[in-house]
Each structure stands twice: as structure tokens, then as C-alpha cells.
Amino acid sequence: MKKLYIPLVFFAFFCLTSCVDIEEHYDFKPNGSCNVVYGFDMSKAVSVLVNLMTDSVRETPQFSLVKDTTLNFYSALPDSISQKMTTEEAKMAQGSDLAIKMDLKKSLMKVSIKHEAKDAADLQYYLEHLSNISMNSPITNVTKKSFDAQPLITGQSYYSYEITDHKFYRIIDKVKFNAFLKKAGSKFAMAKAMLIDMPYKVVLNFAKPVKKMNNSKAILSADRRTVTLVTSMDEVMKNPALMNLKIDF
């Protein structure tokens, strides 16, 4: 497995008053395919940390490390994970990429996972199964020293989906979401106590105009082809229904 060596920033940045921007991005194509990106941007947090570093730390080789790397998700998985995958899961992982952009001197730190779903059925399978294979994956290896961001960027398992050529429905299962909070709630509470802001943005670009949608917090563009939902993890924990989307297009 290719190891992803990330400097001590991941160990320290969540101890600071900072911000982690989380985003889901969907680009639906006329042929029915869809490009999906889950990512989080920790650049603001890094900026705070850099300002607190001593000159001696800034002069170390680790601080000068620059990465702009994209790895195939499947090839970066440990054998213990990939060997247990079904054929369908392996194909899904092979069609996904893990991207890392890092330049501490420029306060840049971004991690994302990208996938191109060939059709509606492929997209639904991807969203329903990615969280199953991402545990102990490179994503978790990158973030495990601090706050576990894995549930935020890999198609959370607490959603139920219904996706066709003309609709994108996802509803939070309250039972699964409550189970998720039991596991991760303490980490979110710690982040909140440290004044860590976690804005959450969902953007869906459609090839056809949207006919209707049910989320009053979401914004529909003037051409009716882009739906944007902006919230935060704190708001979602108080009212999970904020993330429910029923979009017909």
C-alpha cells in the first residue's frame, strides 16, 4: 500500500479555533453519468497553525513538503481490505480517485475522493456502499490522528437513496443517524467546544432543468439546473432533516 505521510498539522489543527469546509459536489451529464466529489478543505485551519509555528519548525523539511497527488482509490487500499471486496465493490473503488493538495507554506490542505458513476444505478450503488469500503482506507489514515472526517466525505451510511434518470432522492434514516451520533457525537461536541466551525455545502448540477424539490433551505439557480444547500454539521445534528433532498428533474 502507498502510505500517505502527512505532517503534524493533522495532529494539531483540530486543537485550534479554525474552520473545516466540507463539500459534496454532483455533476450530472446528459448521457446519464455523474461525477461525484466528496472533499474537505482544511486550509483555514492550517493558516492558523502556521501562524503559531516557530521559525525552527517552519525550516524543517516536513514543513516544506508540497503534494499535489491523485491516487487510484483501489490501488491505495491495503490488501487486507481489497481482498475482502466483492467484484462490484472492487470495480467501484477502481473507478474512484483520492486527491491530496498540500502546501503548508501557502496554507493549503485539501483532501477529496472523486468518482464517475456511469448511470443512475451506478451512482446509487456508489453512494450506498462507499462508506463500507472506506473504513481503514487512505482517507481514514490521513485523518485518524485528529478528528475522523471519514463519515463526512464518503456517502454517509445513514442515508437511504432513490436515484433514477429523473430523480435524486435521499432521506436520512433517523435510526441510523442516531447510531452514527453515538459513535461520532463526542468528536463533534469536542470540535464545537473548541470553536471549530464545520460548514457543509452540497451542490448538484443537473443536465436538465429541475421540475421540483422539497428542501426549503436549498437554493435553485435561475436556470433551474443547479441546487445548492449550505448548512453546517452543528445544524444537521440539531435537525437532520435539513439534509433530506427530493429533486425531480
Side-chain angles (χ1 to χ4, degrees):
M1 172 187 173
K2 300 179 181 66
K3 293 184 178 180
L4 304 176
Y5 290 99
I6 306 298
L8 78 167
V9 63
F10 280 102
F11 180 78
F13 82 89
F14 272 110
C15 295
L16 305 171
T17 301
S18 54
C19 176
V20 179
D21 293 292
I22 307 159
E23 184 167 326
E24 298 178 45
H25 203 113
Y26 301 79
D27 284 317
F28 291 86
K29 307 300 182 182
N31 64 1
S33 65
C34 180
N35 292 329
V36 188
V37 180
Y38 283 90
F40 58 103
D41 184 348
M42 297 167 287
S43 299
K44 294 178 184 178
V46 173
S47 178
V48 175
L49 178 61
V50 168
N51 289 332
L52 297 178
M53 285 181 173
T54 63
D55 290 340
S56 59
V57 173
R58 295 179 185 179
E59 293 173 359
T60 61
Q62 290 84 357
F63 186 80
S64 300
L65 183 63
V66 176
K67 279 184 177 289
D68 189 351
T69 304
T70 299
L71 300 173
N72 178 264
F73 192 77
Y74 183 82
S75 64
L77 288 171
D79 292 340
S80 59
I81 299 297
S82 60
Q83 291 175 357
K84 295 179 181 179
M85 287 182 176
T86 65
T87 301
E88 291 77 12
E89 288 175 338
K91 288 181 179 178
M92 181 181 71
Q94 289 165 358
S96 303
D97 292 323
L98 178 67
I100 298 172
K101 290 186 177 182
M102 179 180 68
D103 187 336
L104 298 186
K105 289 187 175 181
K106 296 182 179 179
S107 298
L108 176 65
M109 179 71 73
K110 297 181 180 181
V111 179
S112 63
I113 181 169
K114 306 175 182 180
H115 179 78
E116 181 176 359
K118 62 183 179 181
D119 53 32
D122 188 23
L123 176 60
Q124 181 160 334
Y125 183 89
Y126 171 77
L127 296 176
E128 291 176 339
H129 291 82
L130 183 57
S131 60
N132 295 337
I133 67 170
S134 63
M135 298 303 294
N136 299 316
S137 74
I139 294 174
T140 302
N141 290 338
V142 166
T143 62
K144 66 182 179 181
K145 290 184 179 180
S146 52
F147 182 83
D148 184 7
Q150 185 272 340
L152 301 175
I153 60 176
T154 55
Q156 300 93 321
S157 60
Y158 47 72
Y159 287 118
S160 60
Y161 291 92
E162 183 181 354
I163 302 174
T164 70
D165 292 336
H166 303 287
K167 66 174 62 174
F168 180 92
Y169 290 5
R170 76 171 187 186
I171 305 296
I172 282 185
D173 184 310
K174 292 182 179 180
V175 174
K176 292 181 178 180
F177 186 75
N178 288 335
F180 162 78
L181 287 182
K182 286 183 179 180
K183 294 181 179 180
S186 61
K187 296 179 181 179
F188 288 118
M190 183 181 299
K192 184 178 179 180
M194 294 177 181
L195 304 180
I196 295 172
D197 187 22
M198 301 185 75
Y200 202 139
K201 185 177 183 180
V202 183
V203 180
L204 303 101
N205 294 316
F206 295 94
K208 307 171 185 176
V210 171
K211 296 178 180 178
K212 62 179 180 178
M213 66 177 185
N214 76 332
N215 189 315
S216 60
K217 189 175 178 64
I219 298 174
L220 183 61
S221 64
D223 64 1
R224 304 187 67 85
R225 290 175 182 265
T226 300
V227 175
T228 304
L229 174 61
V230 178
T231 182
S232 70
M233 279 306 301
D234 187 45
E235 289 184 331
V236 172
M237 286 188 292
K238 294 176 181 177
N239 182 15
L242 287 175
M243 297 298 284
N244 291 344
L245 287 169
K246 283 190 174 182
I247 303 172
D248 294 276
F249 54 94

